[in-house]
Amino acid sequence: MTKATKVETMIWEGGVDGYLDLIDQTRLPNEMLRIECRDVETVWEAIKMLRVRGAPAIGIAAAYGVVVGLQTVPDEDEQFFARMDEVVNYLASSRPTAVNLFWALDRMQRQSASLRSELPVSEIREKLIDEAQAIHEEDRQMCHAIGDHGAGLLADVDGVLTHCNAGGLATAEYGTALSVFFTAQDRGHDLHVYVDETRPLLQGARLTAWELMQRGIATTLICDSMAAQVMREGRVQAVVTGADRIASNGDSANKIGTYSLAVLARAHGIPFYIAAPSSTFDLTIESGAQIPIEERNATEITHGFGRQTAPDGVQVYNPAFDVTPADYISAIITEQGIIRPVNEAKIKQVLGFA
Amino acid sequence: MTKATKVETMIWEGGVDGYLDLIDQTRLPNEMLRIECRDVETVWEAIKMLRVRGAPAIGIAAAYGVVVGLQTVPDEDEQFFARMDEVVNYLASSRPTAVNLFWALDRMQRQSASLRSELPVSEIREKLIDEAQAIHEEDRQMCHAIGDHGAGLLADVDGVLTHCNAGGLATAEYGTALSVFFTAQDRGHDLHVYVDETRPLLQGARLTAWELMQRGIATTLICDSMAAQVMREGRVQAVVTGADRIASNGDSANKIGTYSLAVLARAHGIPFYIAAPSSTFDLTIESGAQIPIEERNATEITHGFGRQTAPDGVQVYNPAFDVTPADYISAIITEQGIIRPVNEAKIKQVLGFA
């Protein structure tokens, strides 16, 4: 656990008067700076400015943010619960489209409400730290469970390719796709991980390569266009990525470029795996056709590196995600087990809805 | 021709006392600056600093550079031919690995040597301008012939994808892959061209998008990782790229990412074409296995645009080229005709070696 702790995305330091200590991800990979969030404004700013990012990590930060925000009021019932509403509304405004943010804030608010008639404020404070730490710990355990299930799939693999960042920086600790690699390492299996830089925002180059190197895993950075060549040369024998949203039939939306890797993997006879918690599944949609593809700003492509690299006025197509059809996915690794083959019946069975 | 002339890579202005006028490609796409090369040092610097780039374009610039370099000596036989040797050796040192550079310089030197006993220096000067313009014109005609042969292949195509820069900037005028699009336009067929930005050096974003926009062709820039999604959505119905070196069996080396496109095109039932002059074929090698893949500096990936975007010390794999097996190539478009299917016998037949 020592190695893991050094790069832990978030740490709660102290008791009811403690603070949230988190990595400023905007400074990576050039600087490893940690921020001490001792007031709710600092937590809000960290979420807003993407100093902490990734759906699970945002939820955890917001939960601790509630604890910090309540430190400014005395142990008096009226003031405490008025402040709770204020803090929750404030934090909810930091990234209004982040589902995990609302989920975590709601959980903190419900926990405090349920205790209002039972406990004094001083004890509710303790329970709220417990709740935030439970959210944190549940996520940590989810990541480890994904790693435990997935590591066995890579038993015969020396080289593996990943895309974007599905690592500890986006979660409590081990991440999803990266948890599979970290768990393999914990078991003494040294993988060589090839990392797509992941244009346009370079999460692979900036974050994933950094996380892997921090843990001493052999890491090679490539441009996205080199993945096919890396497969052809036999440098990798599997691909593992995360997912943002998975439909009932297993079609999986993830960072743009993932679908490309799945097609290339099949052409080279290499398995393509997705690692994602069960919370990623959206069983209200039948297939990937119902997943809207967000298009992002042209400047991410034309001015991505601090200077202009394309002509003025050029038209750009910048889909943030693509959808990989279930048929291309060899298996989906969840905290509840491995879904293989990937189809609706198997998904329901593994996730316990059969 | 008006539209074409405006963006012509190189123009010889005037007679024996004239000068070479060329686009400074290092300033594209942000600025359209032309350089007047009135002495051989300026030509040398333009080649050295990649202000003019692309094998055919370098050869043409060097030929005109010889003419400019000889303007400093009087019409006296000894001085003229001594200066010729000096100028040729000097220009040859500008990019020592560029085959077309030596070929063009050799052609200029042989032409002058063959005329030494027949004509006075004043008339040899005229003949050398003629020779440089012949090199220029032959390349222009080669580009147009590729366009003429290739445009018919896109008759039923609305959207097409290209990679890197196989355009007029690298040649006398129309380029190779881009010549197919320009010729289609000349025939009244409006294509929509999707351009891979082409990491790491972004030739697609910086040069190809610019050339297409200059000629009023509908252009959409994408990241390399988006090509599969663009195919899946039916936005393109063909892929056309250039090539750097083609083996006897049709295996084709080109900018890294080309092989990826060929595999993705097949998976989507889209034809994949290469447009290249017959000089690209190296019939001394049997297959792509004999083509060495140049690896370039890691900083192209880690520090591509003036700032660091990957961790200190990260290992990088940066192959400059990949090889697309002949089997993935629907046709090769040459100035001598279309090679289809792509195999040794058909190559020899079309290129006249059968």
Side-chain angles (χ1 to χ4, degrees):
Chain A
M1 287 297 291
T2 312
K3 273 195 293 185
T5 305
K6 275 163 53 186
V7 295
E8 212 161 351
T9 308
M10 282 168 287
I11 302 165
W12 179 257
E13 293 282 3
V16 287
D17 295 327
Y19 60 91
L20 173 63
D21 176 277
L22 52 79
I23 294 176
D24 182 352
Q25 299 188 34
T26 64
R27 308 297 283 266
L28 293 177
N30 300 321
E31 286 180 289
M32 169 61 172
L33 282 183
R34 301 194 70 101
I35 300 173
E36 294 181 3
C37 302
R38 294 178 183 275
D39 53 56
V40 69
E41 289 77 13
T42 307
V43 177
W44 185 93
E45 199 266 354
I47 297 172
K48 178 77 176 177
M49 302 305 288
L50 312 186
R51 302 190 198 288
V52 58
R53 45 153 288 288
I58 289 172
I60 297 162
Y64 286 123
V66 169
V67 176
V68 169
L70 288 164
Q71 290 169 345
T72 60
V73 288
D75 287 347
E76 192 278 312
D77 202 74
E78 284 295 321
Q79 289 185 58
F80 184 82
F81 284 96
R83 176 67 179 165
M84 167 65 85
D85 292 344
E86 195 176 282
V87 165
V88 164
N89 289 334
Y90 175 60
L91 286 170
S93 70
S94 60
R95 283 194 75 187
T97 57
V99 172
N100 281 58
L101 174 63
F102 303 123
W103 169 84
L105 291 171
D106 185 56
R107 186 162 154 180
M108 294 295 283
Q109 200 162 26
R110 276 188 290 111
Q111 173 68 351
S112 65
S114 73
L115 300 171
R116 185 168 184 169
S117 58
E118 296 174 26
L119 296 176
V121 164
S122 62
E123 289 181 42
I124 293 177
R125 290 185 194 278
E126 299 276 4
K127 295 289 184 189
L128 286 178
I129 292 179
D130 293 348
E131 191 70 10
Q133 288 181 326
I135 291 172
H136 198 167
E137 181 58 27
E138 287 163 24
D139 194 66
R140 185 181 283 117
Q141 286 176 14
M142 177 276 291
C143 293
H144 280 288
I146 287 176
D148 284 337
H149 288 298
L153 291 175
L154 303 186
D156 299 326
V157 166
D158 294 318
V160 63
L161 177 66
T162 191
H163 190 73
C164 200
N165 179 258
L169 288 168
T171 62
E173 189 181 287
Y174 261 31
T176 54
L178 295 200
S179 181
V180 178
F181 311 151
F182 296 149
T183 304
Q185 182 188 38
D186 291 340
R187 295 179 185 177
H189 179 189
D190 291 330
L191 291 165
H192 188 136
V193 183
Y194 284 78
V195 180
D196 270 357
E197 64 173 3
T198 317
R199 280 282 283 152
L201 297 182
L202 299 176
Q203 293 93 338
R206 293 189 297 108
L207 306 178
T208 301
W210 180 84
E211 282 196 51
L212 291 166
M213 289 170 75
Q214 287 293 317
R215 291 177 194 262
I217 290 180
T219 304
T220 296
L221 180 65
I222 60 170
C223 295
D224 305 324
S225 63
M226 296 167 187
Q229 179 70 8
V230 162
M231 292 180 192
R232 186 162 183 238
E233 292 175 2
R235 291 169 182 259
V236 297
Q237 300 87 45
V239 179
V240 187
T241 76
D244 281 85
R245 196 170 172 195
I246 304 177
S248 302
N249 70 345
D251 291 354
S252 297
N254 191 43
K255 184 62 59 197
I256 187 72
T258 303
Y259 167 62
S260 181
L261 291 183
V263 174
L264 293 170
R266 169 173 292 182
H268 291 85
I270 292 170
F272 173 81
Y273 301 121
I274 280 179
S278 54
S279 61
T280 310
F281 288 79
D282 181 351
L283 301 182
T284 69
I285 55 172
E286 283 174 30
S287 77
Q290 289 162 267
I291 301 178
I293 300 297
E294 173 195 1
E295 282 189 51
R296 293 179 57 89
N297 204 301
T299 55
E300 289 184 356
I301 298 180
T302 58
H303 296 68
F305 303 90
R307 68 183 177 97
Q308 182 173 348
T309 54
D312 280 332
V314 68
Q315 190 178 321
V316 166
Y317 179 50
N318 184 16
F321 302 99
D322 56 29
V323 175
T324 300
D327 182 43
Y328 281 95
I329 306 168
S330 308
I332 300 177
I333 306 157
T334 77
E335 80 279 17
Q336 297 185 40
I338 293 172
I339 297 166
R340 180 172 53 180
V342 178
N343 59 45
E344 187 162 0
K346 191 71 184 176
I347 289 169
K348 287 188 172 164
Q349 183 197 321
V350 172
L351 300 188
F353 301 116
Chain B
M1 287 297 289
T2 313
K3 272 196 291 184
T5 306
K6 276 164 52 189
V7 294
E8 212 161 349
T9 308
M10 281 168 288
I11 303 166
W12 178 257
E13 293 282 2
V16 288
D17 295 327
Y19 61 90
L20 174 64
D21 176 277
L22 51 78
I23 295 175
D24 182 351
Q25 298 187 35
T26 63
R27 307 297 282 267
L28 294 176
N30 300 321
E31 286 179 289
M32 168 59 173
L33 282 183
R34 301 195 70 101
I35 300 173
E36 295 181 3
C37 301
R38 295 176 183 275
D39 53 55
V40 69
E41 289 77 13
T42 308
V43 178
W44 185 92
E45 198 267 356
I47 297 172
K48 179 76 176 179
M49 302 305 288
L50 311 186
R51 302 190 197 289
V52 57
R53 47 155 285 287
I58 289 171
I60 297 162
Y64 286 123
V66 170
V67 175
V68 170
L70 289 164
Q71 290 169 346
T72 59
V73 290
D75 286 347
E76 193 276 314
D77 204 73
E78 284 297 322
Q79 288 185 58
F80 184 83
F81 283 96
R83 176 67 178 164
M84 168 64 84
D85 292 344
E86 195 176 285
V87 166
V88 163
N89 289 334
Y90 175 60
L91 285 170
S93 70
S94 61
R95 281 195 76 185
T97 57
V99 172
N100 282 58
L101 173 63
F102 304 124
W103 170 84
L105 291 171
D106 184 55
R107 186 162 154 180
M108 294 296 282
Q109 200 163 25
R110 277 188 291 111
Q111 173 68 352
S112 65
S114 72
L115 298 169
R116 184 167 185 171
S117 56
E118 293 173 28
L119 296 176
V121 165
S122 63
E123 288 181 42
I124 293 176
R125 289 185 195 278
E126 297 278 3
K127 294 292 185 189
L128 286 177
I129 293 179
D130 292 348
E131 191 69 12
Q133 288 181 327
I135 291 172
H136 197 166
E137 181 59 26
E138 287 162 25
D139 194 66
R140 186 181 283 118
Q141 287 177 15
M142 176 276 289
C143 292
H144 279 290
I146 287 176
D148 284 337
H149 288 299
L153 291 175
L154 303 186
D156 298 327
V157 166
D158 294 320
V160 63
L161 176 66
T162 191
H163 190 73
C164 199
N165 178 258
L169 289 168
T171 62
E173 190 182 287
Y174 262 30
T176 55
L178 295 200
S179 181
V180 178
F181 310 152
F182 296 151
T183 304
Q185 182 189 38
D186 291 341
R187 295 180 184 175
H189 180 189
D190 292 330
L191 292 164
H192 189 137
V193 183
Y194 284 79
V195 180
D196 271 358
E197 64 172 3
T198 316
R199 279 282 284 154
L201 297 182
L202 300 176
Q203 293 93 337
R206 294 188 298 108
L207 305 177
T208 301
W210 181 84
E211 281 196 52
L212 292 165
M213 290 170 74
Q214 287 293 316
R215 292 177 193 262
I217 291 179
T219 304
T220 296
L221 180 65
I222 61 170
C223 296
D224 305 324
S225 63
M226 297 167 187
Q229 179 70 7
V230 161
M231 292 181 193
R232 185 162 184 238
E233 292 175 1
R235 291 169 181 259
V236 297
Q237 301 87 45
V239 179
V240 186
T241 75
D244 281 85
R245 197 170 173 196
I246 305 177
S248 303
N249 71 345
D251 291 355
S252 298
N254 192 44
K255 184 62 58 197
I256 186 72
T258 304
Y259 167 61
S260 180
L261 291 183
V263 174
L264 294 170
R266 169 174 290 181
H268 292 86
I270 292 170
F272 173 81
Y273 301 120
I274 279 179
S278 54
S279 61
T280 310
F281 287 80
D282 181 351
L283 301 182
T284 68
I285 55 172
E286 281 174 34
S287 78
Q290 290 162 267
I291 302 178
I293 300 297
E294 172 195 1
E295 282 189 51
R296 293 179 58 90
N297 204 300
T299 54
E300 289 184 356
I301 298 180
T302 57
H303 294 69
F305 305 90
R307 69 184 178 97
Q308 181 173 349
T309 54
D312 281 331
V314 68
Q315 188 178 323
V316 166
Y317 179 50
N318 184 16
F321 302 99
D322 56 30
V323 174
T324 300
D327 182 44
Y328 280 96
I329 306 169
S330 308
I332 301 177
I333 306 158
T334 77
E335 80 281 17
Q336 297 184 40
I338 292 171
I339 297 166
R340 181 171 55 179
V342 178
N343 58 45
E344 187 163 2
K346 192 70 184 176
I347 289 169
K348 287 188 171 165
Q349 184 198 320
V350 172
L351 300 187
F353 301 114

